[in-house]
């Protein structure tokens, strides 16, 4: 809701938690009621505003414990990056080196046999062969280690895929439970909200309907009514149309909004 330009569809819109592109962000924490209703106009939808008002009055949703459990599960998921490219590169490098040394050993063996066949001196060739064979043995050991490391990396990547899928399922479940909680809390204070509409400037109880999604009245009046329903001690800052509405009212701002302190923004047109 952004003031007079907001729509009633926006008033009923539900907000979901954000997520970074890399998928590593934890779910968004539930904002304090004052963060939702402390400055009017607000970007929050009506259902979120009413849920915040309900929380400020000490209400909790029936799914609150389940939401906490889901969030604990999400926080416990750790997915460390796996560099399969580097592991594959190492396998390719060690395999290539092994093949190169095999060819060198085979060539030296052939050279040694040829020298012996003609009774030529073969000591130097045999020394080179022994050194090459030792290098080959070490390279083969490294190639085995590289293959094992690649298999471990593949297994870890598979576990990561499973964990990502589990995290996605948990986030969907969390999103659904948050929506259910928001609906429940908003509906719990909706009768009080409907009554508050009869008091705040521009409010019309007949526009409330039976539930928050049916509200088709003025969005600024809805925000003022939500603040009146809430119970928090923080400052409420009014700007733009919200400030003008309250300033033109015959009642004082604190009495109208039932809050400890009301502050009008320096530029009421913003």
């Amino acid at each position: 809701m952004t003031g007079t330009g907001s729509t009633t569809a926006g008033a009923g819109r539900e907000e979901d938690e954000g997520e970074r592109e890399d998928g590593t962000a934890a779910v968004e924490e539930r904002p304090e009621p004052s963060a939702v209703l402390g400055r009017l106009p607000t970007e929050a939808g009506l259902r979120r505003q009413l849920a915040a008002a309900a929380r400020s009055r000490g209400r909790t949703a029936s799914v609150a414990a389940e939401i906490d459990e889901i969030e604990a599960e999400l926080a416990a998921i750790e997915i460390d990056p796996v560099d399969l490219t580097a592991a594959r590169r190492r396998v390719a490098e060690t395999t290539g080196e092994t093949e190169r040394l095999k060819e060198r050993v085979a060539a030296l063996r052939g050279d040694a046999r040829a020298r012996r066949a003609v009774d030529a001196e073969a000591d130097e060739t045999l020394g080179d062969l022994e050194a090459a064979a030792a290098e080959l043995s070490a390279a083969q050991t490294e190639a085995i280690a590289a293959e094992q490391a690649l298999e471990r990396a593949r297994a870890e990547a598979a576990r990561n895929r499973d964990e990502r899928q589990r995290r996605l399922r948990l986030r969907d479940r969390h999103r659904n439970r948050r929506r259910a909680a928001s609906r429940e809390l908003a509906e719990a204070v909706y009768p009080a909200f409907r009554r508050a509409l009869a008091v705040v400037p521009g409010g019309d109880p007949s526009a409330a309907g039976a539930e928050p999604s049916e509200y088709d009245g003025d969005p600024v009046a809805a925000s003022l009514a939500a603040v009146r329903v809430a119970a928090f001690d923080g400052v409420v800052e009014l700007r733009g149309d919200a400030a003008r509405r309250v300033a033109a009212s015959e009642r004082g701002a604190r009495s109208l909004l039932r809050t400890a302190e009301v502050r009008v923004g320096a530029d009421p047109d913003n």
Side-chain angles (χ1 to χ4, degrees):
M1 181 178 302
T2 58
T4 56
S6 299
T7 64
T8 54
R13 181 171 53 86
E14 297 165 349
E15 292 78 10
D16 299 330
E17 66 271 18
E19 180 176 335
R20 292 200 298 261
E21 289 183 359
D22 61 6
T24 60
V27 294
E28 179 185 332
E29 294 183 0
R30 279 158 284 189
E32 290 296 321
S34 58
V36 179
L37 295 171
R39 179 172 176 171
L40 301 184
T42 173
E43 292 293 332
L46 176 59
R47 184 170 289 151
R48 191 177 183 190
Q49 292 179 61
L50 294 178
R55 289 197 305 274
S56 75
R57 294 169 63 162
R59 287 184 174 270
T60 57
S62 60
V63 293
E66 185 179 357
I67 290 173
D68 290 341
E69 290 174 3
I70 296 171
E71 290 177 350
E73 284 190 66
L74 283 167
I77 294 176
E78 295 183 0
I79 301 177
D80 296 323
V82 177
D83 193 348
L84 282 173
T85 300
R88 293 190 183 103
R89 185 184 301 116
R90 186 184 174 209
V91 168
E93 290 171 352
T94 56
T95 299
E97 180 66 4
T98 298
E99 293 303 316
R100 184 188 71 80
L101 288 169
K102 281 181 179 179
E103 292 175 1
R104 176 166 173 73
V105 167
L108 288 169
R109 280 176 179 160
D111 189 23
R113 283 195 296 269
R115 286 178 176 277
R116 284 172 177 168
V118 297
D119 293 328
E121 176 62 47
D123 288 349
E124 183 177 350
T125 301
L126 290 172
D128 291 343
L129 174 59
E130 183 178 353
E135 287 184 57
L136 174 59
S137 177
Q140 288 173 328
T141 299
E142 187 174 351
I144 291 171
E147 287 283 358
Q148 292 173 340
L150 177 57
E151 287 305 311
R152 289 193 297 271
R154 284 172 172 162
E156 183 64 22
R159 285 193 293 271
N160 283 355
R161 285 193 294 272
D162 291 342
E163 284 296 270
R164 287 190 182 95
Q165 289 299 316
R166 185 166 76 92
R167 184 170 60 186
L168 287 173
R169 289 193 296 271
L170 284 170
R171 280 182 169 156
D172 284 343
R173 185 176 158 204
H174 181 265
R175 187 178 296 112
N176 290 335
R177 296 302 181 273
R178 284 277 294 268
R179 286 173 173 168
S182 181
R183 284 194 296 270
E184 180 183 334
L185 292 172
E187 288 169 3
V189 298
Y190 205 60
F193 168 76
R194 191 182 292 109
R195 292 191 295 271
L197 286 173
V199 179
V200 299
D204 180 6
S206 66
E211 58 184 39
S213 62
E214 296 180 4
Y215 180 75
D216 63 356
D218 180 77
V220 174
S223 291
L224 294 173
V227 171
R228 181 176 171 84
V229 168
F232 56 86
D233 297 329
V235 176
V236 174
E237 182 179 355
L238 303 178
R239 305 180 73 85
D241 200 28
R244 288 189 289 273
R245 297 274 188 92
V246 173
S249 174
E250 296 179 355
R251 300 182 61 169
R254 286 186 296 178
S255 172
L256 182 68
L257 299 179
R258 289 183 175 173
T259 190
E261 184 177 352
V262 178
R263 182 184 304 155
V264 177
D267 183 2
D269 290 325
N270 293 327

